[in-house]
Amino acid sequence: MTFRTLDDADLQGRRALVRVDFNVPMADGEVSDDTRLRAAIPTIAKLRAGGAKVILLAHFDRPKGKVVAEMSLGPIAPALAKVLGLPVAFASDCVGPIAADAIAAIRNGDVLLLENVRFHAGEEANDPAFAKALAANGDLYVNDAFSAAHRAHASTEGLAHILPAYAGEQMRLELSALERALGHPERPVLGIVGGSKVSTKLDLLRHLVTKLDKLAIGGGMANTFLYAQGHDVGASYCEKEMAETAREIIRLAGQNNCKLFLPLDIVVAEKMAPGAPARVRGLGALDEHERILDAGPETTERLCRAMDNSKTLIWNGPLGVFEMPPFDKATMTAAHHAAELVKSGKIVAVAGGGDTVAALNAAGVVDDFTFVSTAGGAFLEWMEGKELPGVAALSQ
């Protein structure tokens, strides 16, 4: 796909409706993590420099088409102002006279945040009348919210069919990184997929084994694969009902010449608690009370060697219970190794998904990776090979 970007837009004096992702964590009525606010800075800066009125559209939480005071975007305006270092106006509605008057009151280069689009039922229904009401307040549309691009909503998809539509700077960065990782990657390509459940990542695994040269499976889902191969998993979390599915994915990997890496050794404990006594075991060599909580050192070393022999890495999901030392060791070791390879120019490493981002933050290597996506569901659906409505709507 090719997309129109802001480089192609005439911005002077135009009203730019910008879909951003400001669904940020809050604590005591204040933004507790401004990562998503900072991600919008390049697009806002480019629009301001071009002389546009910057009008921000966003959702917060799930009000389901009703006005819910605790889900207002009002508290986000001052947090954004702090991040931008300039005033941010706020309007208590995203359509109608309140929005129109607020837009008329700002000047070229000013920034205005409109109220939660999900306060209107027409947003999630992608109602044409609601999309038209949003469009009445803009001359052009900019989608900078890749994380919401898997939803066909009025502000993520409908608007793109009414106004001239452009990809924002964060959207462009995300799409470029994913294209580099999965669309036209430099080979060999290694994938790491972790997390607890095979059942939540079936589409992902089935797609990746047809795209990658190598795939390492970790986390709780690796237990299901080990069980499917006849190994005892003791008291470990395991989706035993998914055993045949795991065997199907193993067969599919073989048919597509995708080398599958499953654990060679494991780290076990009788309880999942910080500092719990941990032991390294061979496969199947655990007792009925022990639980697999991390990949073992031999498994981790083999994964690092696989990275050394790859040109592209795409990572989704931790290798163990990374939030709880000592069961974070495999994830931390692999993260640091990947970061060193990126810094030395030996690999392109793209990662995404909530737990993955948290793990890489814990390792202190987020800024060292080629790209780390905070998009969650949209990142997963892109990896699964699905078309994202918000992205498709931007294609030329």
Side-chain angles (χ1 to χ4, degrees), residues 307-308 310-312 340-348:
M307 290 185 204
D308 292 339
S310 301
K311 293 292 186 183
T312 303
E340 288 303 316
L341 290 173
V342 173
K343 286 193 283 187
S344 61
K346 294 176 181 175
I347 202 169
V348 169

Side-chain angles (χ1 to χ4, degrees), residues 131-207:
K132 193 173 179 181
L134 289 172
N137 290 315
D139 301 305
L140 59 94
Y141 168 69
V142 182
N143 193 341
D144 208 31
F146 177 80
S147 52
H150 59 314
R151 308 293 189 203
H153 293 170
S155 70
T156 61
E157 199 265 350
L159 268 173
H161 300 294
I162 302 173
L163 296 175
Y166 302 86
E169 296 300 286
Q170 181 66 18
M171 175 73 84
R172 170 159 63 172
L173 188 66
E174 191 107 28
L175 293 176
S176 298
L178 296 183
E179 177 68 10
R180 198 174 171 193
L182 264 186
H184 293 89
E186 190 175 354
R187 293 190 177 275
V189 187
L190 167 66
I192 298 174
V193 176
S196 58
K197 294 183 178 181
V198 173
S199 55
T200 61
K201 296 191 177 179
L202 272 180
D203 289 344
L204 175 63
L205 293 170
R206 286 181 175 132
H207 182 64

Side-chain angles (χ1 to χ4, degrees), residues 251-294:
R251 288 192 295 270
L252 190 59
Q255 290 164 9
N256 286 276
N257 297 314
C258 176
K259 186 173 182 181
L260 210 56
F261 293 112
L262 295 171
L264 298 169
D265 58 346
I266 49 182
V267 175
V268 305
E270 290 191 4
K271 62 178 180 177
M272 186 170 67
R279 307 171 188 87
V280 176
R281 300 283 204 207
L283 297 184
L286 69 171
D287 66 37
E288 61 180 349
H289 303 296
E290 289 180 324
R291 306 170 66 180
I292 303 170
L293 297 173
D294 199 10

Side-chain angles (χ1 to χ4, degrees), residues 236-251:
S236 307
Y237 177 83
C238 177
E239 293 179 289
K240 294 181 178 179
E241 73 281 4
M242 300 297 294
E244 182 50 44
T245 301
R247 287 189 284 268
E248 175 208 327
I249 290 167
I250 292 170
R251 288 192 295 270

